[in-house]
Amino acid sequence: MISGFENIQLATIIVVVVAGFAAGWVDAVVGGGGLIQLPVMLMIPGITPVQALATNKMGSIFGTTTSAVTYYRRVGPDLKTAIPMAVVALGGSFGGAVLAANLPQSVFKPIIVAALIAVAIFTALKPNVGELTALRHTGHRHYVLAGVIGAVIGFYDGLIGPGTGSFLIIALVTLMGYAFLEASAKAKIVNMATNAGALLFFLPHGSLLWGVGLLLGAANMAGGYLGARTAVKQGSGFIRVVFLVVVGALIIKLGYDVWNENLAHNG
């Protein structure tokens, strides 16, 4: 069992803790904490990309679980929708992780960037979207749509990952009609399951750095608890603003990746 602390300096450990806390906070409010956490994980000397991904998921599951419990106690999201959605998302995430091991992520990134730009424009131009819950579907159609969203975004989380929580929130707001606050609460339950699905794939491969993962998890828990309490206190308007900031950062990050990959391919 590898702890990950064998060649790591104190300064790097401090950066990992700070990044874990910040990622937990951002994840709890709108998702997208991986933008902060994963690059820091890749700074650890000698770490492989697979170890970074696996350990990142391990840390994240502590944070998403903490924020999910906090949201449940304070918002009381409808578990009849959230639990089946989470179960389907777990399976989708496992499938995505399997495919990620055999397919270059560069194939999907341009599509994701285009989707994020569309989401950002839609949210910015529709200031009242997500202000109040007004469900678009009822009965069987509501649960089928929830399952489809869980499967697709769960698959995305296992395959690529960044912005999973943000995609869940915007899907729950725009396609299902939830307010941003309730969408965030449900998204955390589903995101917890997608992290678990990816971990189920990584565990048998011995990719986890257990010591670093547990430290990251503790920092994520603290950030996730504070982030969930902040979101509940500030409400849907605050979540919408943070959502736009995080989606903007996602567009820049993934767009930069696509640009660099195209340069490398054509160079």
Side-chain angles (χ1 to χ4, degrees):
M1 186 180 294
I2 303 171
S3 72
F5 291 125
E6 289 79 8
N7 300 310
I8 192 170
Q9 296 181 344
L10 179 60
T12 306
I13 293 174
I14 292 170
V15 172
V16 167
V17 170
V18 172
F21 178 85
W25 190 92
V26 171
D27 252 343
V29 179
V30 292
L35 280 175
I36 302 167
Q37 194 165 276
L38 190 54
V40 170
M41 293 300 300
L42 291 167
M43 290 170 47
I44 296 173
I47 196 170
T48 67
V50 173
Q51 286 176 326
L53 284 169
T55 308
N56 175 62
K57 287 295 180 189
M58 181 181 177
S60 295
I61 199 167
F62 284 90
T64 50
T65 301
T66 301
S67 54
V69 171
T70 305
Y71 271 120
Y72 178 71
R73 288 177 174 173
R74 295 176 176 270
V75 179
D78 171 26
L79 295 184
K80 288 181 180 178
T81 300
I83 296 299
M85 192 175 178
V87 171
V88 173
L90 187 150
S93 179
F94 183 89
V98 171
L99 186 60
N102 301 289
L103 200 65
Q105 296 180 9
S106 58
V107 174
F108 299 94
K109 283 182 179 177
I111 301 170
I112 302 303
V113 172
L116 282 168
I117 291 171
V119 163
I121 292 171
F122 177 83
T123 307
L125 295 180
K126 297 277 189 179
N128 295 325
V129 167
E131 195 171 33
L132 298 170
T133 292
L135 295 181
R136 302 185 187 285
H137 307 284
T138 57
H140 183 67
R141 290 183 65 183
H142 172 88
Y143 295 109
V144 168
L145 181 57
V148 170
I149 291 170
V152 171
I153 299 180
F155 183 81
Y156 167 80
D157 191 24
L159 182 66
I160 300 177
T164 296
S166 302
F167 277 120
L168 281 167
I169 289 170
I170 198 61
L172 287 164
V173 169
T174 58
L175 300 180
M176 300 194 71
Y178 286 105
F180 268 105
L181 181 59
E182 184 150 358
S184 289
K186 283 184 170 60
K188 285 309 101 191
I189 296 171
V190 179
N191 207 178
M192 178 176 65
T194 63
N195 285 333
L199 267 180
L200 286 173
F201 173 77
F202 287 124
L203 273 172
H205 293 76
S207 302
L208 289 174
L209 304 180
W210 288 91
V212 174
L214 289 172
L215 181 67
L216 195 65
N220 246 256
M221 286 177 70
Y225 177 73
L226 181 62
R229 287 178 64 93
T230 303
V232 171
K233 183 179 180 180
Q234 299 296 330
S236 289
F238 170 79
I239 296 172
R240 179 180 179 275
V241 171
V242 179
F243 175 83
L244 284 170
V245 171
V246 171
V247 168
L250 274 166
I251 291 169
I252 293 169
K253 167 66 171 64
L254 293 176
Y256 179 77
D257 289 348
V258 171
W259 175 265
N260 276 347
E261 286 161 5
N262 285 337
L263 284 179
H265 179 72
N266 296 325

